[in-house]
Amino acid sequence: MYQFEGKVAIVSGAASGIGRAVAIRLAQEGASVAVFDLPDRTTGEAASGLKETAAEIEKTGAKAYIQLTDVSSAENVEKSFSAVMEHFGRLDIIVNVAGIAEESKAFEDYDAATFDKLHAVNVRGTFNMDKEAVKIFKQQKQGKIINFSSINGITGYAGFYAYNATKFAVTGLTQTLAHELGPYNVNVNCVCPGFVWTPMWAANDRALWDKAHPGEEYVPMTFYQAQCEVTCLKRPTYPEDIAATVAFLASDEARNITGQHINVDCGVEFH
């Protein structure tokens, strides 16, 4: 539909959830996709999830390229981008999905280590990825940068101080970068997911069930669906819904959209 044949994309956080869905959708649209994620903690090699994402990409007929990348390390990101350029010879799209969250806490219970950990991945990781893309996109005078913020990066929800702060930072970085890269024909936008049914949410849902209904048979999505009831559409959002928005923003159909945060949340936030 979007005719990405001949184009190359990088997707971070591609081993599961939203990152995997984005990588597969771009491949379905014809792009070759370099998938970035952390190595397996035990083996130091590509995690099974990242290998599965690459396999799904190749099933579409597109090319996949695995890069073990810690986005919080500027040196690691620089090497990964160089490897992609050497492998594919070009780059057209980057999607910065990699990110981490936290448990809700009272502000006085926060520690600096937690704040710094989230900042390192969510903010510095996005900065590192964008910086390497800018080097390429400015020179070739075209490109698409799609960062990932959150509805928490538009409205600060109670209890998630570090997460909210990092996602607000990504939104601001996106807007500022759009100004600088506009003259180079580069679009910079960010996607703000709402409540998305990912492995992280599934684990959280099960934990909440076990706490509320000890010993009872688990009814999947019970607490998640209750959360969805606060939305206008009152239905789940899946990683594929987010991926559809990313594909649009990466396409020529969105050539006049830049500096925007796009909510995909079934109507939690209106802006």
Side-chain angles (χ1 to χ4, degrees), residues 191-265:
V191 176
C192 299
F195 312 125
V196 186
W197 183 250
T198 62
M200 184 184 298
W201 237 113
N204 184 55
D205 192 75
R206 181 59 190 261
L208 290 170
W209 175 272
D210 289 342
K211 185 176 181 180
H213 306 281
E216 297 183 22
E217 184 177 356
Y218 173 53
V219 179
M221 300 181 79
T222 298
F223 290 88
Y224 173 74
Q225 186 60 56
Q227 185 74 72
C228 293
E229 288 298 314
V230 307
T231 72
C232 292
L233 296 176
K234 302 186 185 302
R235 63 184 179 224
T237 298
Y238 294 101
E240 291 75 17
D241 297 312
I242 309 300
T245 300
V246 171
F248 168 69
L249 289 173
S251 76
D252 288 339
E253 298 294 317
R255 62 188 178 275
N256 286 339
I257 300 175
T258 198
Q260 304 303 310
H261 60 270
I262 310 297
N263 295 353
V264 188
D265 62 1

Side-chain angles (χ1 to χ4, degrees), residues 128-181:
N128 290 337
M129 293 282 290
D130 286 351
K131 186 173 183 180
E132 293 306 312
V134 166
K135 294 176 185 178
I136 299 166
F137 290 169
K138 271 190 171 183
Q139 185 174 10
Q140 66 191 24
K141 291 184 169 54
Q142 71 90 19
K144 304 280 187 176
I145 296 176
I146 301 164
N147 295 325
F148 262 71
S149 180
S150 166
I151 57 173
N152 293 60
I154 309 302
T155 297
Y157 289 91
F160 298 98
Y161 296 96
Y163 185 73
N164 292 349
T166 63
K167 292 304 182 178
F168 268 85
V170 171
T171 304
L173 175 63
T174 298
Q175 293 175 359
T176 306
L177 201 53
H179 282 289
E180 180 171 343
L181 297 183

Side-chain angles (χ1 to χ4, degrees), residues 15 30 36 46 48 57 70 79 81 84 90 97 123 167 177 199 210 236 247 260:
F36 285 16
S48 59
I57 289 170
D70 176 0
K79 289 180 179 179
F81 269 72
V84 171
R90 65 178 294 154
V97 184
V123 183
K167 292 304 182 178
L177 201 53
D210 289 342
Q260 304 303 310

